[in-house]
Structure formats: structure tokens, C-alpha cells
Amino acid sequence: MGEMLTEAQAEAMIFGFVLLNDWSARDIQQWEYVPLGPFQAKAFATSISPWIVTREALEPFRRHGPVQEPAPLPYLQQHGANNYDLQLEVGLRAPAMAAPAGICSTNFKYMYWSSVQQLVHHASSGCAMNVGDLLGSGTISGPEKHQRGSLLEISWNGTEPAELPGGVKRTFLEDGDSLSFRGWCQSEGYRVGFGEVEGTIVPAA
């Protein structure tokens, strides 16, 4: 407490990574995010994948993130490659569909703020961090349309419905929809996988 973290300290404190879906209730968020920002819209459900992939297992897949312009403040400037070549896919299965259809294919290397930077910044105000704390990276989107990392972006806030098999269209998730995340790092002859995290929307009781 009371001390800033360095890039090296923050990196050493990160044990590993999981896939995380911090579900967003967009109908609530539309009401509360101006001027307060998301609050209850982000607080009702979170899903994670079945196991933790250690930082050491991801070492061969380190990558530099996007060039940051303007340059961050000095305490957030990093010298190492703190992103990862981690392929991510999202599937959506509506009740009328037999199997999920891909709606997003992106990569963790596109993260503008690395996990190290986020931990350094989070601790900069004296916020205590404890063993086992889980931090979410935020939406991971790439430069192309198929790399948009949330349904809000994919449907462009409901103006461009996502086209699914069987004539199904979605702007936002509906009751009965199942959403699944998959992630892996691929090298020659082997793959480091994160498992799958899936959740289904059910009607309110």
C-alpha cells in the first residue's frame, strides 16, 4: 500500500489468464451510462472459463500491442511485449438453431492497454490488490468488422443486425440465446487452450 507498481512488478504479480464474459444489460446501460457510466448494467453476471492458463505457458506468444498515441504518462509506459497472440472466437446460438454460429473472431494482441498497464493504473490510486483478485481486460476488438468484440459493436448499436443461419437476426441478445467464448494460442505442433465459457439467457422469474 502507498507505493506505485513498476512494469516488472505488475507483470510478476499476474499469475495467469482466463476467458471472461462480463455480461452487459444494454437496456439498463442505455439509461444509466449518461452521465454516470455503466453501473448496474455491468454488475449482474460474470462468467469465466474452467481453468487458469499461467503467464509462463503464454510466454512464447508474447506480442507488442498497438502503438499508443499520444504516449501514455511515464508510469504507464512499457518496454516489454505485454500482449499475447491469443485467438478468440465468440459463438451465438438462438433457440431455433442447432449449433452456434460465429459472430466474432478477434485476437488479444489488439488490446490497446495491456494487462500490465491496467494493473499499474489500477494500483496507482492506492487501491489494494489481493491474491486471487480478477481484473477484466475490457472488450477486445480488432480493426475489421468481424473482429468487433461485443454484440453492441457487431450490430452497431442495433442499426446493423447480425445475420445468423435460418434467417435469425440479432441486434441484442434475447431470452433463450446462448453465447460461447473460446480462446487458444497456436504454435507449430501444439496449442495452449483456455477451454470454453458458455451462458444462456433465461427469462426473469
Side-chain angles (χ1 to χ4, degrees), residues 27 138 169 195:
D27 50 351
K169 296 182 180 181

Side-chain angles (χ1 to χ4, degrees), residues 20-60:
L20 181 145
N21 182 10
D22 60 334
W23 300 81
S24 298
R26 300 298 187 189
D27 50 351
I28 299 174
Q29 185 174 324
Q30 291 282 4
W31 171 80
E32 72 178 4
Y33 84 110
V34 178
L36 299 176
F39 196 93
Q40 301 297 352
K42 302 290 287 187
F44 71 101
T46 299
S47 303
I48 63 172
S49 52
W51 55 77
I52 301 171
V53 177
T54 63
R55 181 169 49 84
E56 289 80 3
L58 301 179
E59 193 66 24

Side-chain angles (χ1 to χ4, degrees), residues 142-161:
E144 305 296 330
K145 184 175 181 178
H146 73 277
Q147 297 170 328
R148 295 175 183 173
S150 74
L151 194 53
L152 180 73
E153 297 177 9
I154 292 168
S155 70
W156 213 239
N157 198 22
T159 62
E160 301 175 6

Side-chain angles (χ1 to χ4, degrees), residues 17-21 47-53 181-183 193-198:
F17 295 84
V18 298
L19 304 181
L20 181 145
N21 182 10
S47 303
I48 63 172
S49 52
W51 55 77
I52 301 171
V53 177
F181 287 18
R182 295 174 62 244
F194 282 71
E196 183 178 65
V197 54
E198 182 177 6

Side-chain angles (χ1 to χ4, degrees), residues 20-24 47 89-94 100-104 149-152 154 164 170 172-174 176-182 196-201:
L20 181 145
N21 182 10
D22 60 334
W23 300 81
S24 298
S47 303
E89 289 186 352
V90 180
L92 173 59
R93 179 174 56 82
I103 60 171
C104 171
S150 74
L151 194 53
L152 180 73
I154 292 168
L164 303 173
R170 284 291 184 272
F172 298 96
L173 296 175
E174 300 180 10
D177 288 348
S178 293
L179 201 68
S180 57
F181 287 18
R182 295 174 62 244
E196 183 178 65
V197 54
E198 182 177 6
T200 301
I201 307 295

Side-chain angles (χ1 to χ4, degrees), residues 102-184:
I103 60 171
C104 171
S105 178
T106 187
N107 195 296
F108 190 75
K109 66 185 180 182
Y110 296 123
M111 280 301 300
Y112 190 82
W113 299 105
S114 73
S115 300
V116 168
Q117 286 175 307
Q118 291 182 40
L119 180 54
V120 168
H121 185 63
H122 191 78
S124 67
S125 64
C127 183
M129 301 300 298
N130 296 307
V131 173
D133 283 348
L134 179 65
L135 299 179
S137 69
T139 302
I140 302 174
S141 296
E144 305 296 330
K145 184 175 181 178
H146 73 277
Q147 297 170 328
R148 295 175 183 173
S150 74
L151 194 53
L152 180 73
E153 297 177 9
I154 292 168
S155 70
W156 213 239
N157 198 22
T159 62
E160 301 175 6
E163 304 279 349
L164 303 173
V168 177
K169 296 182 180 181
R170 284 291 184 272
T171 52
F172 298 96
L173 296 175
E174 300 180 10
D175 287 346
D177 288 348
S178 293
L179 201 68
S180 57
F181 287 18
R182 295 174 62 244
W184 65 91

